[in-house]
Amino acid sequence: MALLPRLSATVGPNWRRPARTSLGFLLRRPGLAAFLRAFSRAMASKQEPQAQCPSPAAGAVTSYDYLVIGGGSGGLASARRAAELGARAAVVESHKLGGTCVNVGCVPKKVMWNTAVHSEFMHDRVDYGFESCENKFNWSVIKEKRDAYVSRLNTIYQNNLTKSHIDIIHGFAVFTCDPTPTVEVNGKKYTAPHILIATGGVPSRPPESQIPGASLGITSDGFFQLEELPSRSVIVGAGYIAVEIAGILSALGSKTSLMIRYHKVLRNFDSIISSNCTEELENAGIEVLRYSQLQSFSRGRIK
């Protein structure tokens, strides 16, 4: 969700251009603080009780024309565009720059997918006249190279922000109760008439009350933290992320099972794609456990 007050003429002539509503919805500045308080109350009624926003306090406050919460693809692009138009901008990020895609999404996933493709090539070598091929696979080698590649991308993003004269604020942003739009990060306050919330999301894990032992499992983020190839893997889910990870692990030598609730994977895709993908997974040696409903986890066992 993005919060963009109506752009004022105080930043510079280029900022008089209309904002694209695809970035979020427009709010007039006088009502922004009230909206944030109402939004916080509405969210608190749906989620666990949260602490109240930090009270206004005396002290130095750093001011910007444009403040972005979240250093992912959308937030970074928005901040750089704002800087190009003459705004003094800053980005608040608690983790690595680049967001999901760069750090735990499509970029490292494609590296692992290409690794699996090489394994498939070696599997088919005899059909192409190759009589021998060294099949030993070292997970730590590709993990080290993959992580180094991602780290280089993080550095490129940081350098691009520096070149654009955009400040990087490390930490978590919390909206305060100040009369003007203000956030607090690590005890310091930052204010801006225009604040973009571009925090993205994280994989959800079922609560223990719903599935006992769920905390023993990992999410797709945890896949990229594995230090070695599991000898045995169980993937729960029928979406494309589950299918990709199952295919990668199986191709690289892990005995893999895929638990799905219905009769085939990718049910929201084209029916031919869904059916053929399910069949090919089984042809590749993946055990597809149809009509499975996960009930509990325990160490060394899934029920």
Side-chain angles (χ1 to χ4, degrees):
M1 178 181 66
L3 303 182
L4 288 176
R6 182 172 57 85
L7 300 180
S8 66
T10 58
V11 179
N14 288 334
W15 272 72
R16 294 174 184 169
R17 301 174 183 174
R20 293 184 179 180
T21 55
S22 60
L23 289 176
F25 52 89
L26 300 178
L27 297 174
R28 293 184 178 275
R29 188 184 308 173
L32 179 57
F35 168 79
L36 292 174
R37 288 193 291 270
F39 178 78
S40 298
R41 289 194 296 269
M43 292 302 293
S45 66
K46 297 180 180 180
Q47 301 176 357
E48 297 180 357
Q50 298 179 2
Q52 295 182 351
C53 58
S55 301
V61 178
T62 305
S63 298
Y64 292 96
D65 300 317
Y66 190 54
L67 186 63
V68 177
I69 304 175
S73 301
L76 293 176
S78 178
R80 293 188 66 191
R81 182 59 175 162
E84 289 175 1
L85 296 175
R88 182 172 182 242
V91 172
V92 181
E93 175 55 53
S94 62
H95 192 51
K96 300 176 181 178
L97 293 174
T100 295
C101 183
V102 169
N103 296 290
V104 289
C106 41
V107 171
K109 184 279 300 289
K110 288 175 182 176
V111 173
M112 300 309 296
W113 185 85
N114 282 326
T115 305
V117 168
H118 280 73
S119 178
E120 290 293 331
F121 284 159
M122 290 187 289
H123 181 269
D124 297 334
R125 70 186 185 279
V126 176
D127 294 334
Y128 292 90
F130 294 92
E131 297 181 356
S132 63
C133 184
E134 180 61 45
N135 289 323
K136 186 176 181 181
F137 171 67
N138 190 330
W139 177 278
S140 62
V141 171
I142 189 60
K143 183 182 185 301
E144 181 180 353
K145 293 180 180 295
R146 182 198 70 209
D147 292 350
Y149 175 60
V150 170
S151 180
R152 286 196 297 272
L153 295 179
N154 297 145
T155 301
I156 290 173
Y157 276 111
Q158 181 172 337
N159 291 339
N160 286 339
L161 291 180
T162 301
K163 292 176 183 178
S164 299
H165 305 289
I166 298 172
D167 291 342
I168 304 173
I169 304 170
H170 297 282
F172 290 92
V174 178
F175 280 97
T176 70
C177 294
D178 290 85
T180 57
T182 305
V183 297
E184 183 175 307
V185 184
N186 298 327
K188 297 182 180 179
K189 287 191 174 184
Y190 306 87
T191 184
H194 314 291
I195 298 179
L196 173 67
I197 302 177
T199 53
V202 294
S204 61
R205 194 193 305 266
E208 290 284 330
S209 59
Q210 180 181 344
I211 301 179
S215 59
L216 297 174
I218 64 173
T219 65
S220 55
D221 288 359
F223 169 75
F224 297 107
Q225 299 172 1
L226 293 173
E227 296 293 339
E228 57 184 19
L229 175 68
S231 59
R232 181 78 170 92
S233 305
V234 178
I235 313 299
V236 181
Y240 71 91
I241 295 178
V243 169
E244 288 174 335
I245 292 179
I248 290 171
L249 289 171
S250 177
L252 296 179
S254 177
K255 184 179 179 182
T256 305
S257 297
L258 183 64
M259 297 182 65
I260 62 177
R261 290 182 297 169
Y262 298 96
H263 66 290
K264 58 184 180 179
V265 301
L266 307 178
R267 290 182 297 110
N268 293 328
F269 284 62
D270 180 90
S271 60
I272 296 178
I273 293 177
S274 177
S275 298
N276 288 349
C277 185
T278 304
E279 181 180 347
E280 287 303 316
L281 287 171
E282 292 181 306
N283 291 339
I286 296 174
E287 180 185 25
V288 179
L289 302 174
R290 294 175 171 82
Y291 303 105
S292 299
Q293 190 70 41
L294 187 62
Q295 295 180 345
S296 65
F297 280 89
S298 61
R299 293 194 179 278
R301 184 180 180 184
I302 297 178
K303 182 179 179 182

